[in-house]
Amino acid sequence: MGVAPALVRLNNGNFCCYLCKTNMFRLDCSMEPTEGIENYLELTLREQQLIPDGGRVLVAVSGGMDSVCLLYSLLALTKAGYDFSLMAAHVDHGLRPESGADAQFVAQLCAELGIECYVKHVDVQALATQRKQGLEEVGREVRREFLQVVAERESCDRIALAHHRDDQAETVLFRIARGCALSGLAAMRWENGLFIRPFLAASRQQIEEYIQRHAISYVEDASNASVVYARNRLRHQVLPALCSINPEVAARLAQLAQVAALEESYWQQQVATVVQRGASWVGSVLHLDCGAVAQEHSALLARVIRECLRLARGNLSGIEAKHIALVLTLLADGRPQRQLSLPRVWVARRYGQLLFSACPPATCDNFHLTIAEPGRFPLPGGRVLCVTVAELAQGDSGVLGSWGNWVEFDASQVRFPLWVRSVQHGDSMNCVGMVGRKKIKKIFAEKKLTLEQRALSLVLGFDNELLWLLGVRRCGSYMVQSDTSIVLRCTIVPAPD
Amino acid sequence: MGVAPALVRLNNGNFCCYLCKTNMFRLDCSMEPTEGIENYLELTLREQQLIPDGGRVLVAVSGGMDSVCLLYSLLALTKAGYDFSLMAAHVDHGLRPESGADAQFVAQLCAELGIECYVKHVDVQALATQRKQGLEEVGREVRREFLQVVAERESCDRIALAHHRDDQAETVLFRIARGCALSGLAAMRWENGLFIRPFLAASRQQIEEYIQRHAISYVEDASNASVVYARNRLRHQVLPALCSINPEVAARLAQLAQVAALEESYWQQQVATVVQRGASWVGSVLHLDCGAVAQEHSALLARVIRECLRLARGNLSGIEAKHIALVLTLLADGRPQRQLSLPRVWVARRYGQLLFSACPPATCDNFHLTIAEPGRFPLPGGRVLCVTVAELAQGDSGVLGSWGNWVEFDASQVRFPLWVRSVQHGDSMNCVGMVGRKKIKKIFAEKKLTLEQRALSLVLGFDNELLWLLGVRRCGSYMVQSDTSIVLRCTIVPAPD
């Protein structure tokens, strides 16, 4: 059509991207929205409410049969007066010699149809090597990123993908083959963020019929002819064999996905109720109250655990059924403190709580600090110890000799240098109100400190004497008396949240 | 071993059945429960609690590798001191020339192992023709019946089937191919009534290894070599192709089944809660209160509908997703009275209720009865009309001229013969307290009678005059007055429940 594509260079992170924007003009379209796929499409857009009135739709066009059919049939609906407008986008992955020609084909087609089109050339091979990812994965990421960039730039309301019912069937089978929970069976959705899949209930055959009836040109996707890839193995071996058992198998698989998606939304609702009731964040650690979930059905409990793992890690990749089962043993097991290192997540039972965290908790092994004079001293875990000398006592915090953020000693008896160090095996101290010494380990157990609290515990002392198990218990000596004239005061400033 | 089988003839319905009961004696078993499948079995029996202490287990032995392996490995556990005892049973389907030899093999094997064995010969082909069912279906039914008969006769606590993980994978795939809801993915269970499947998590390979290591004899199942049947197509085409995508696919499919079974039990619990709250039986019709379920998630609602259909029909065979969707439209639709004829079940919306019934409700079209004198007259729907003449009035039942089971007229004005007939299009009557006539149809609507109540409605009259819309409304004439000397009294005796 003699349209000179305007090349625009976008700066998009690590790699260059060229935009070929065809001029906008309209051609008459000979099709009426009265047949097969167009009727289907019109019904689907209405039933699934995929496009808002007056919406702008960006169609992802590979140049293959499915996406070309989607472009033509959506265009036919706009010609018939449906209230939305179209744009197109194409990504050339540069993986096949003919990929440049495919891009040219799409640009030319859109020019002929009067549809504005963005084309991007990416060296997916180089990018995959650089990112150490698979070609397919990188290709998908690049496409998605580009489509979203264009959609935002052009204020598109929706991005239309041409996945159809047979793709959905393959996706379901692929997930089954790879191994998935029931939620995975939901496979592709009608709508996912900006992305919509108007063809999700249309068969490949419907699409082929439309393409043939209108003698529409498209490019062959070379990978379709090969059985190298899993998806093609599914398409050319598994699905035909299943079809010989039930010719309707693709429809049944797509239906299974639809039921799974519906039931998934129920599960999410049920799980959210339990999580809201039983789980809470303490800093970056998710705490799940064991008592609050103990009565739940084990199926729901397993899903709640999955959700807690998702919340703690950000996603569930690499999490398998056996990991969920391990976490469930923490719940069932009577032992008060156990922990698991699962892929990219740390899970622990701490008395009545299950803890989920992306990082194992901080410890302060082998910490040692000498305090030669009053001042502020940073401690592991973001805490700060303030040591001051004053004439007036304020009294210890908390119950006498017990939990609290500060303590006071008679400074005439306790002298610098003091020291602060990690708790060591066998540490003991003489406590207020008792004869003899008590092991630190026993104090930990009495106070039901979690292993994390124990690992972060420090002791303050001078000479060979333990004065204070920081924040937990003080020794019974060197108390401030009525005749104390000078007071040594130690205060912990907790880490900011 | 020279054991003469004792032939016993059982009378079991339509077909003869022979029991071959070998004598009981014990042989030493050279195997120790220390390896592969035996360890697996020991762990499984304990974890899944499949056999009670001291239990008697009937093993279904086809003579094929799997069931022979199950027999040997269970026997090894009893030899090693595990507290249960074994029996065996075999059904010869008579479908292959060598099937008699297979039965002989199993009888001989059991005799050698000192395991009591029942053998039954059935002409499955003839039975399938007679019952108009498939060979596979009839074969399964015959086996199950026989196993249950033997189990009862011999007081067995469990019937052990040799289905393994790869069978489970095939079953899941088969159900997916045929089309199923998520509940169908649960496939075979560890336990189902008396039946247990101890090998459900064992692979075919584990079984093969055991058989080979001990050079155990078994018979080849000829159908295994053919790809004629769906199951064999799955085994020889679909599963190998899926294995090339993921070598662990059988384990993943079995795991999917296990998760589905667990989640299914949660769904059953959720559905039962809603059904208990919202549904009740009125005679043989299940009523579901629309208001009580209106707020439920549509996934749960769909399952509640399925359960109501199951309760009304007895099972769900032939019920598909589209049928559930149709019932849901009755709920969503604002119209007060609509009905559906689904396969073997009648479903109707009647104002605030959804009705489910195995049979469409009774009607009394074209009923006509002439009443020449007082007496008792049977009416459609099991009701009886009593007509009496008395000197003393008792007054009409219900509100004046409205709903009630009896009415009284001044017998000096209303004379025999009376008649009772179905309501006809256009019927009207003059009602108490109003001028002019009111259409029966309007009375139906005012009273919000269901279509079933309307279809069972009758009118009593004499000459061309309607006296009473039975049980609903009387006419405004022929009232009993203070000077009435003789009373015509009509009473409906309702149908017994």
Side-chain angles (χ1 to χ4, degrees), chain A residues 82-350:
Chain A
Y82 288 85
D83 185 18
F84 59 87
S85 62
L86 294 177
M87 294 195 48
H90 174 89
V91 177
D92 171 11
H93 295 62
L95 291 173
R96 291 172 292 115
E98 67 275 25
S99 71
D102 292 357
Q104 198 66 37
F105 168 82
V106 173
Q108 181 72 16
L109 172 70
C110 290
E112 285 172 17
L113 294 176
I115 294 173
E116 204 174 350
C117 179
Y118 282 76
V119 175
K120 175 177 181 177
H121 302 274
V122 191
D123 186 345
V124 168
Q125 178 72 67
L127 210 59
T129 309
Q130 182 189 319
R131 293 192 191 175
K132 292 175 183 154
Q133 288 178 301
L135 286 179
E136 199 170 345
E137 191 183 356
V138 172
R140 191 174 55 242
E141 281 175 13
V142 165
R143 276 198 308 280
R144 295 220 147 208
E145 281 164 19
F146 177 62
L147 290 167
Q148 282 171 317
V149 166
V150 174
E152 190 174 358
R153 186 190 175 104
E154 297 285 345
S155 307
C156 293
D157 306 285
R158 294 289 184 270
I159 303 169
L161 306 174
H163 297 114
H164 51 67
R165 201 190 63 187
D166 297 72
D167 292 326
Q168 177 76 315
E170 285 164 19
T171 304
V172 173
L173 274 180
F174 181 64
R175 295 199 175 185
I176 289 172
R178 204 184 45 186
C180 69
L182 269 71
S183 50
L185 296 181
M188 296 186 285
R189 315 291 178 107
W190 286 106
E191 218 168 341
N192 187 7
L194 275 189
F195 293 91
I196 58 172
R197 294 187 174 90
F199 274 176
L200 200 56
S203 67
R204 178 178 289 125
Q205 195 187 340
Q206 280 179 292
I207 292 169
E208 279 174 1
E209 280 170 9
Y210 187 85
I211 288 280
Q212 280 166 16
R213 189 174 318 117
H214 296 284
I216 296 171
S217 303
Y218 60 93
V219 296
E220 285 283 355
D221 182 356
S223 72
N224 282 344
S226 146
V227 286
V228 172
Y229 299 105
R231 191 167 273 278
N232 282 318
R233 187 159 291 229
L234 290 171
R235 185 173 306 172
H236 297 296
Q237 293 182 1
V238 177
L239 273 168
L242 291 175
C243 261
S244 73
I245 296 169
N246 176 10
E248 295 291 312
V249 69
R252 293 289 88 78
L253 282 166
Q255 196 168 51
L256 186 67
Q258 202 159 347
V259 175
L262 178 64
E263 299 207 333
E264 188 59 22
S265 78
Y266 177 73
W267 279 111
Q268 283 174 359
Q269 184 184 299
Q270 298 299 99
V271 167
T273 306
V274 176
V275 168
Q276 200 161 22
R277 196 183 62 227
S280 55
W281 289 100
V282 178
S284 64
V285 179
L286 186 65
H287 287 232
L288 179 66
D289 185 47
C290 301
V293 301
Q295 298 307 313
E296 299 298 344
H297 190 285
S298 50
L300 181 55
L301 203 47
R303 286 204 178 238
V304 167
I305 298 294
R306 269 172 70 89
E307 177 63 6
C308 289
L309 290 172
R310 196 188 66 77
L311 289 168
R313 303 163 93 239
N315 63 51
L316 284 167
S317 70
I319 292 296
E320 297 174 18
K322 66 182 178 194
H323 300 132
I324 310 287
L326 279 171
V327 179
L328 285 171
T329 63
L330 291 188
L331 266 179
D333 188 326
R335 283 184 275 176
Q337 299 209 55
R338 285 179 65 205
Q339 52 280 327
L340 301 167
S341 267
L342 302 182
R344 289 185 24 238
V345 67
W346 173 88
V347 184
R349 169 88 184 237
R350 294 294 176 255

Side-chain angles (χ1 to χ4, degrees), chain B residues 207-385:
Chain B
I207 292 170
E208 279 174 1
E209 280 170 8
Y210 187 83
I211 287 281
Q212 281 168 15
R213 187 172 322 117
H214 296 283
I216 296 172
S217 304
Y218 60 93
V219 296
E220 286 281 357
D221 182 356
S223 73
N224 282 346
S226 145
V227 287
V228 172
Y229 299 105
R231 190 167 275 277
N232 282 318
R233 187 158 289 230
L234 290 170
R235 186 173 306 171
H236 298 296
Q237 294 182 0
V238 177
L239 273 168
L242 291 175
C243 261
S244 72
I245 296 170
N246 176 9
E248 294 293 311
V249 70
R252 294 288 89 77
L253 283 166
Q255 194 168 53
L256 186 67
Q258 200 160 346
V259 175
L262 177 65
E263 299 207 334
E264 188 59 22
S265 79
Y266 178 72
W267 278 110
Q268 282 173 1
Q269 181 184 299
Q270 298 298 98
V271 166
T273 306
V274 176
V275 167
Q276 198 162 22
R277 195 183 65 226
S280 55
W281 289 100
V282 178
S284 63
V285 179
L286 185 66
H287 287 232
L288 178 66
D289 185 48
C290 302
V293 300
Q295 297 310 312
E296 300 297 345
H297 190 285
S298 49
L300 182 56
L301 203 46
R303 287 204 178 237
V304 166
I305 298 294
R306 270 172 69 90
E307 177 64 5
C308 289
L309 291 172
R310 195 188 65 79
L311 289 169
R313 302 165 92 237
N315 62 52
L316 285 167
S317 71
I319 292 295
E320 298 174 17
K322 66 184 178 195
H323 300 132
I324 310 287
L326 279 170
V327 180
L328 285 170
T329 62
L330 291 188
L331 266 180
D333 189 324
R335 282 184 275 177
Q337 299 209 53
R338 286 178 65 204
Q339 53 281 327
L340 302 166
S341 268
L342 303 182
R344 290 185 22 238
V345 67
W346 174 89
V347 184
R349 169 90 185 235
R350 295 293 177 256
Y351 298 99
Q353 302 281 323
L354 270 192
L355 276 42
F356 300 81
S357 171
C359 318
T363 62
C364 53
D365 290 346
N366 304 319
F367 178 78
H368 195 282
L369 168 75
T370 301
I371 298 173
E373 55 184 11
R376 293 171 62 86
F377 305 94
L379 300 180
R383 298 163 292 177
V384 173
L385 178 67

